[in-house]
Amino acid sequence: QVQLVESGGGVVQPGGSLKLSCAGSGSIFKINTMGWYRPAPGKQRELVATITSGGITNYADSVKGRFTITRGNAKNTVYLQMNSLKPEDTAVYYCNVLWTILAKKEDYWGQGTQVTVSS
C-alpha cells in the first residue's frame, strides 16, 4: 500500500510564494520519480515538475525560473517551492510517485492540495 500526503496549499496574492510538501509512505521502490501535476485544459493533468531519485529535475515551461522541486532528507518526500505566483497557477496540485520494475509501471497519486492565487 502506497500513500502520498500533500500539504502547504493556500491562498496567496499574485507575486507571492508557497511551498508544497508531499510525504510518501508504504512500499515505494527506492529508484523512483516524484513530481507535481495540476489539471490543464484538454488534459487530465499536466506536469508541473518532477525529480528522480538521482536528483534529475524536469519543469513545465510555464513554471521554469519560478518553481523549484527538491527532495527532502526524509525518504520519499518532495517539495515544490513556488515563487512569483500568477493567477494562472491557481489549481489543485497533485503529488505523484512512479517507478518501473521489470517493465511493470507502478503509479500513485495523492489527494491534492488547493493553490489559489488571487488579489
Side-chain angles (χ1 to χ4, degrees):
Q1 188 80 4
V2 172
Q3 188 174 19
L4 299 174
V5 179
E6 303 110 326
S7 61
V11 180
V12 64
Q13 291 187 340
S17 298
L18 280 175
K19 186 174 183 178
L20 305 183
S21 301
C22 174
S25 61
S27 300
I28 297 175
F29 188 57
K30 63 180 180 180
I31 301 173
N32 60 60
T33 298
M34 296 189 76
W36 295 92
Y37 292 75
R38 64 189 182 190
K43 303 178 184 179
Q44 186 173 7
R45 290 172 186 168
E46 67 173 0
L47 178 149
V48 176
T50 60
I51 184 168
T52 68
S53 48
I56 298 172
T57 58
N58 184 37
Y59 295 93
D61 288 342
S62 59
V63 307
K64 281 180 182 176
R66 300 189 298 122
F67 291 11
T68 303
I69 188 168
T70 56
R71 291 257 184 177
N73 291 328
K75 192 177 178 182
N76 296 320
T77 59
V78 65
Y79 303 101
L80 186 68
Q81 178 67 48
M82 304 186 294
N83 298 329
S84 303
L85 281 161
K86 304 175 181 180
E88 52 264 42
D89 294 317
T90 295
V92 178
Y93 285 71
Y94 295 90
C95 181
N96 172 267
V97 63
L98 66 86
W99 64 88
T100 301
I101 301 176
L102 298 175
K104 181 183 177 185
K105 181 181 174 182
E106 300 278 350
D107 190 19
Y108 298 91
W109 296 91
Q111 80 286 354
T113 186
Q114 177 71 46
V115 172
T116 302
V117 185
S118 174
S119 55

